[in-house]
Amino acid sequence: MKKGIILFAFAVLALVVTGCKKEQAEPVYEDGTLILTPTERFDNSTEQLKIWNETQEVICVLFGYGFNSPEFYDDAIARLENLFGLEEENGLIWPVLYPDDVRNRIANLYDMVNARNIKGIIIMGAPEKTHSVLARLQEFWDNDMPYPVFSLFPQDDTLGMESTCDFVLDYERTHEDEADTKEMEQTIDKTAEDILVNAIKYIVELPSPAHLPYDDDLHAHVQTIVGEKKVRRYTDSETGLQSINHFVMESPKDADE
């Protein structure tokens, strides 16, 4: 009798464990929008080499101002090649180095993107008028682009980037910084490469087509992509209004002080 009770208990436990795993393994999507607890998206604790499979889809990663130097670009490309593979190897990542790969004109990115099967776009250090290219892509897709666009640390027009991207992540700036319309020298945070990798992992997890939600959960999704550094919604210094999809994190120069 006791043996039967023990076996029954183990059977119930196995069903509970299996059910939990199944629940965690099957994300729920609604109308192409992710509705899953952000912190359960993926595991950042480990990375393996050559874990990628060949694919016909690509994620465009534009390396713009501050991220196009050999010091950042070379190391980032080596890491992305190992983790996700490059387009030239039938991998996931299509790197675009600004200004070289677009022949000094960011407008050329439009035709380059439309010539590929895009799963997502990540723009680092967006140069001026990048948002215009994204606006043209939105128009091409009747304002329903079938892939997400993440903008990390742009130097393009803020409102333009907000209106054309799932989210914009920037460094905190003083009122004087925001009033200065000159192109700012980009100071690279040591975690920028990790944020890029996490952003790619996030896009990989999204169905096609899908975008991050424009609701209270968006903050949590961006925080998961950033990692340990605290992220807050951007607040306009003049109007006091908070942006829906623009977030800021501590500036590297402030962290060093």
Side-chain angles (χ1 to χ4, degrees):
M1 182 67 178
K2 290 183 177 179
K3 183 177 180 181
I5 294 174
I6 293 174
L7 290 174
F8 177 76
F10 273 114
V12 173
L13 179 61
L15 287 173
V16 171
V17 172
T18 302
C20 291
K21 287 183 178 179
K22 183 177 181 181
E23 182 179 353
Q24 292 178 357
E26 295 182 358
V28 180
Y29 300 93
E30 183 176 299
D31 298 328
T33 299
L34 177 67
I35 49 173
L36 183 68
T37 304
T39 54
E40 295 179 355
R41 295 311 303 144
F42 49 77
D43 179 11
N44 290 329
S45 60
T46 60
E47 289 185 1
Q48 302 175 23
L49 300 181
K50 297 295 183 184
I51 63 174
W52 54 275
N53 297 314
E54 291 190 4
T55 177
Q56 298 303 310
E57 294 182 309
V58 294
I59 295 176
C60 171
V61 180
L62 174 70
F63 294 87
Y65 292 135
F67 300 93
N68 52 5
S69 66
E71 292 78 15
F72 183 88
Y73 179 80
D74 292 348
D75 186 68
I77 287 298
R79 187 176 176 187
L80 297 183
E81 181 179 12
N82 280 329
L83 288 173
F84 308 105
L86 302 182
E87 181 197 31
E88 61 191 29
E89 317 170 288
N90 295 320
L92 182 65
I93 305 303
W94 167 39
V96 179
L97 180 64
Y98 178 84
D100 298 4
D101 291 344
V102 294
R103 300 188 299 279
N104 297 312
R105 295 186 69 248
I106 192 62
N108 290 332
L109 184 66
Y110 174 83
D111 290 330
M112 296 167 67
V113 166
N114 275 344
R116 289 167 170 81
N117 185 8
I118 299 293
K119 184 172 179 60
I121 298 176
I122 300 175
I123 300 174
M124 307 193 73
E128 185 181 2
K129 296 186 179 180
T130 301
H131 71 280
S132 297
V133 176
L134 298 176
R136 289 181 63 198
L137 289 170
Q138 282 186 333
E139 183 178 357
F140 176 83
W141 291 105
D142 294 326
N143 292 318
D144 189 22
M145 281 198 293
Y147 45 77
V149 180
F150 300 167
S151 181
L152 308 178
F153 317 113
Q155 295 204 25
D156 192 15
D157 175 71
T158 299
L159 292 178
M161 295 305 292
E162 289 177 3
S163 65
T164 55
C165 299
D166 285 44
F167 75 86
V168 178
L169 176 66
D170 206 348
Y171 293 123
E172 289 186 300
R173 297 179 181 178
T174 64
H175 180 70
E176 289 74 18
D177 289 336
E178 293 181 350
D180 189 355
T181 58
K182 295 179 181 179
E183 178 185 309
M184 294 180 61
E185 181 180 353
Q186 187 76 289
T187 302
I188 304 302
D189 189 277
K190 295 182 177 64
T191 63
E193 189 178 300
D194 292 334
I195 293 173
L196 170 60
V197 169
N198 288 347
I200 293 171
K201 290 179 180 178
Y202 233 78
I203 291 178
V204 169
E205 291 293 329
L206 289 172
S208 296
H211 293 272
L212 293 182
Y214 271 51
D215 56 25
D216 291 340
D217 285 338
L218 181 58
H219 187 181
H221 285 291
V222 176
Q223 183 65 72
T224 301
I225 291 173
V226 170
E228 295 182 358
K229 288 208 170 187
K230 187 176 181 180
V231 171
R232 66 173 180 83
R233 289 186 183 273
Y234 169 79
T235 302
D236 185 271
S237 58
E238 294 184 357
T239 65
L241 297 176
Q242 278 194 338
S243 172
I244 296 175
N245 66 334
H246 185 181
F247 301 87
V248 293
M249 57 182 282
E250 184 182 37
S251 171
K253 62 182 181 181
D254 294 336
D256 294 337
E257 290 177 356

